[in-house]
Amino acid sequence: MSRPWWQDGVIYQIYPRSFADSNADGIGDLEGIRRKLDYLEWLGVDGIWLNPINPSPNKDWGYDVSDYTDVHPDLGDMATLERLVEEAGERGIRILLDIVPNHSSDQHAWFADSRSSRDARYRDWYVWADGKDGGPPNNWQSVFGGPTWTYDERTGQWYLHNFLPEQPDLNWWTEGVWEAFDDILRFWFDRGIAGFRIDVAHGIVNDKELRDDPPDPEHEGRVKPVYSMNRPETHEVFRRWRKICEEYDPARLLVGETHVLDPVVMASYYGDGDELQLAFNFACVYAPFEADPLRSVVEQTEAAIPERGWPVWTLSNHDVIRFPTRWAGGDPDKIRCALFVLLLLRGTPVLYYGDEIGLEQQEVPEERELDFAGDRDGARTPMRWSAGPGHGFTSKDVEPWLPFGTGTDVESQRDDPDSILSLCRALLAARREREELRSGAYASMSAPECVWAWRRGDSHAVALNLGADAATVDVSGMILVGTRRDRDGEDVSGLTLGPYEGALVQL
Ligand code: NOJ
Ligand code: CA
């Protein structure tokens, strides 16, 4: 049986408000993305994941959805989306959307009805409970700080929100909620959407009895989300959704934001090959940029993911500090090594827009901050396509919704064979050309301290020196792609790497 497209492919995450602005209002949009399809095809990606595109009051920038089956007017309309899906498809690129099943916006019609009276039709679509001893129903804590409960005067009860008060949790103990999401999935799949990234995948179901969470021994004053999240019933949601995915040809893809740090728990979301096809690996995102810890995360992941599962790797996203800053501190050599990690392990890589040019986290001045959580804005700034006013993102006299920041851009790297963009493209091309780089097994190789080396299949090896001193690793063959491109094509017998140098070698 041939492998599904996403096992061989590379996914590219786009934050739609920040990719390309087609109508000069300073906000990136779907038409802007469509106009960049040639670029994405040239880069060599196979799928695009769009952060939420649904109507939203944007209290949490799209993660507070007020209508699950429409498009936010800032971003375009349904016709533009359909055109994007179609024209991407002509280039062999599939479109994935973001789905937010844990909570809706408080402006969603369901919640407006739910809060209107205790016997409203949608009352039990959200989690309502009586307070205890003059306070909230239990001790659960919001991911964004403070209690997960807000008292609603109108009906004299509290409602649950694991995130902002404007993001009330849906009640997955109500059958109607399951049916509504079945319909939402089908609505988009019928329109050619290739799958979903699932927001807060591990947190969809809450404990039915609302039991108190235990204290977190590692974080003073915090509780561990044992009952507010990570419930076993969540797996049933994914088994049900997976069946819906399999009704389509090609089968639709579920990628979970499984924000759990234990690789074994993360791997549980693959089920028995009957839940998520991909579960994001946050242990890797949060690992330090050092050989031993990274090797160990990868080994643990490889061991934990069941036979029918498939790893997925990402280093940046809209919630964390971009890796060229977090891991590399802006050092181009380190950025290059990090891209080798992302693109040469066994599994599906997910590039965040800008990763391919080594775009750094941007400073957003306080008066321009839009996100309540502060530093996330710096990972969401407009793509820097070129130098000069507008940066190829918007018209030259338009102020973008978030500032451009500083640094590199696509145009200045595009024709430079030694650029990070050219390196990224070379690695994507190597993956396409060489079966082993897509499907070959991962095996750690012995290596000196600070060097991480691994084999892919029988005839490829990757070695990265993540230390400040030169080191030699027992690898012989021909360098296919080096972080130092002047070494491409070099025959080596024992591979000596300078500080923060890496190479992909054909053995
Ligand atoms: C995870 C999303 O990636 C993040 O941006 C959002 O704030 C929370 N989930 C809540 O939806
Ligand atoms: Ca726009």
Side-chain angles (χ1 to χ4, degrees):
M1 209 179 89
S2 71
R3 286 193 304 272
W5 68 271
W6 45 267
Q7 284 193 357
D8 281 333
V10 173
I11 296 175
Y12 186 92
Q13 177 190 352
I14 290 181
Y15 198 75
R17 297 179 78 86
S18 284
F19 201 58
D21 172 20
S22 70
N23 62 348
D25 63 357
I27 302 171
D29 45 60
L30 298 176
E31 172 61 15
I33 297 169
R34 190 189 68 78
R35 293 183 194 173
K36 295 294 184 190
L37 285 173
D38 284 345
Y39 168 78
L40 294 167
E41 184 182 16
W42 170 85
L43 181 61
V45 304
D46 304 274
I48 300 172
W49 149 34
L50 303 176
N51 283 99
I53 61 162
N54 304 122
S56 164
N58 285 336
K59 291 285 187 246
D60 187 14
W61 296 103
Y63 287 98
D64 46 329
V65 174
S66 53
D67 183 348
Y68 286 94
T69 52
D70 207 348
V71 173
H72 196 299
D74 284 355
L75 305 178
D77 55 21
M78 202 60 105
T80 320
L81 179 69
E82 281 171 5
R83 192 165 171 209
L84 173 63
V85 170
E86 192 185 316
E87 294 188 18
E90 286 161 9
R91 293 165 166 83
I93 298 175
R94 294 182 163 84
I95 307 283
L96 308 163
L97 298 183
D98 209 313
I99 194 166
V100 190
N102 179 69
H103 48 267
S104 72
S105 161
D106 65 343
Q107 302 303 305
H108 195 293
W110 297 335
F111 191 67
D113 176 81
S114 184
R115 77 193 314 181
S116 67
S117 91
R118 288 202 186 199
D119 43 39
R121 163 145 192 247
Y122 290 94
R123 181 66 173 181
D124 64 354
W125 281 43
Y126 294 85
V127 186
W128 293 96
D130 293 327
K132 227 168 56 190
D133 311 323
N138 66 20
N139 73 347
W140 294 358
Q141 291 170 342
S142 161
V143 173
F144 292 148
T148 51
W149 299 95
T150 290
Y151 183 69
D152 205 37
E153 253 174 27
R154 181 133 44 139
T155 55
Q157 280 191 311
W158 301 69
Y159 69 88
L160 177 72
H161 51 86
N162 269 298
F163 295 87
L164 293 176
E166 292 89 348
Q167 294 170 299
D169 270 49
L170 284 155
N171 182 5
W172 283 83
W173 293 98
T174 297
E175 178 60 24
V177 171
W178 291 66
E179 285 161 10
F181 275 85
D182 292 352
D183 291 346
I184 293 165
L185 257 53
R186 289 201 173 92
F187 176 90
W188 292 109
F189 292 165
D190 289 344
R191 282 161 181 76
I193 293 302
F196 284 107
R197 176 268 191 187
I198 305 164
D199 190 57
V200 203
H202 58 296
I204 297 176
V205 184
N206 317 116
D207 182 42
K208 195 175 184 184
E209 293 157 43
L210 307 177
R211 281 170 281 188
D212 272 346
D213 274 334
D216 182 348
E218 278 159 42
H219 299 98
E220 169 91 35
R222 297 286 299 173
V223 295
K224 274 168 84 165
V226 168
Y227 293 109
S228 54
M229 291 196 173
N230 303 304
R231 301 310 300 153
E233 295 84 3
T234 306
H235 296 277
E236 274 165 47
V237 177
F238 299 145
R239 282 195 283 272
R240 174 146 151 173
W241 288 9
R242 180 67 176 269
K243 286 201 188 104
I244 296 176
C245 289
E246 307 281 350
E247 290 167 14
Y248 290 80
D249 183 23
R252 302 316 197 227
L253 169 62
L254 301 174
V255 192
E257 190 212 8
T258 38
H259 201 280
V260 290
L261 297 185
D262 180 341
V264 174
V265 180
M266 178 208 71
S268 73
Y269 288 100
Y270 289 88
D272 192 14
D274 56 355
E275 297 185 32
L276 305 179
Q277 291 100 327
L278 296 174
F280 271 127
N281 193 321
F282 284 90
C284 177
V285 174
Y286 298 137
F289 189 50
E290 292 164 22
D292 283 350
L294 283 173
R295 184 193 299 111
S296 125
V297 167
V298 170
E299 286 175 353
Q300 286 176 44
T301 303
E302 285 281 351
I305 293 185
E307 197 87 334
R308 291 177 65 194
W310 185 253
V312 55
W313 306 103
T314 193
L315 303 183
S316 297
N317 66 38
H318 59 290
D319 292 329
V320 300
I321 297 179
R322 285 177 174 274
F323 81 79
T325 302
R326 180 169 37 85
W327 267 7
D331 178 340
D333 293 338
K334 295 184 185 173
I335 296 172
R336 287 164 183 262
C337 287
L339 284 169
F340 272 56
V341 175
L342 178 61
L343 300 172
L344 295 174
L345 291 169
R346 185 183 76 102
T348 302
V350 181
L351 283 158
Y352 186 47
Y353 79 101
D355 280 357
E356 73 274 31
I357 55 170
L359 188 69
E360 281 207 65
Q361 184 82 1
Q362 301 291 341
E363 288 286 347
V364 175
E366 222 180 297
E367 68 277 9
R368 293 290 304 270
E369 275 176 13
L370 294 175
D371 182 42
F372 61 90
D375 53 1
R376 298 193 299 185
D377 284 327
R380 302 174 177 180
T381 56
M383 182 66 161
R384 297 172 60 87
W385 294 100
S386 57
H391 287 286
F393 167 76
T394 188
S395 304
K396 62 177 175 6
D397 45 1
V398 172
E399 191 58 41
W401 78 293
L402 278 174
F404 289 112
T406 55
T408 183
D409 59 66
V410 172
E411 198 178 46
S412 67
Q413 293 197 23
R414 198 177 163 127
D415 299 322
D416 172 4
D418 199 31
S419 67
I420 291 175
L421 179 55
S422 295
L423 175 72
C424 190
R425 209 168 154 248
L427 293 176
L428 294 191
R431 288 179 60 97
R432 243 193 332 274
E433 282 153 21
R434 292 167 181 269
E435 168 72 40
E436 275 194 342
L437 297 183
R438 302 192 303 273
S439 66
Y442 168 95
S444 297
M445 298 172 70
S446 67
E449 217 192 326
C450 296
V451 174
W452 176 21
W454 67 90
R455 254 199 355 260
R456 292 296 310 283
D458 296 326
S459 51
H460 291 89
V462 182
L464 299 174
N465 179 4
L466 303 184
D469 300 313
T472 300
V473 51
D474 186 14
V475 165
S476 298
M478 187 187 71
I479 297 181
L480 292 170
V481 183
T483 57
R484 275 183 45 197
R485 302 303 300 280
D486 57 351
R487 295 191 69 178
D488 290 12
E490 184 184 320
D491 288 316
V492 291
S493 163
L495 171 65
T496 300
L497 296 167
Y500 292 99
E501 186 188 346
L504 164 64
V505 176
Q506 170 163 343
L507 301 172

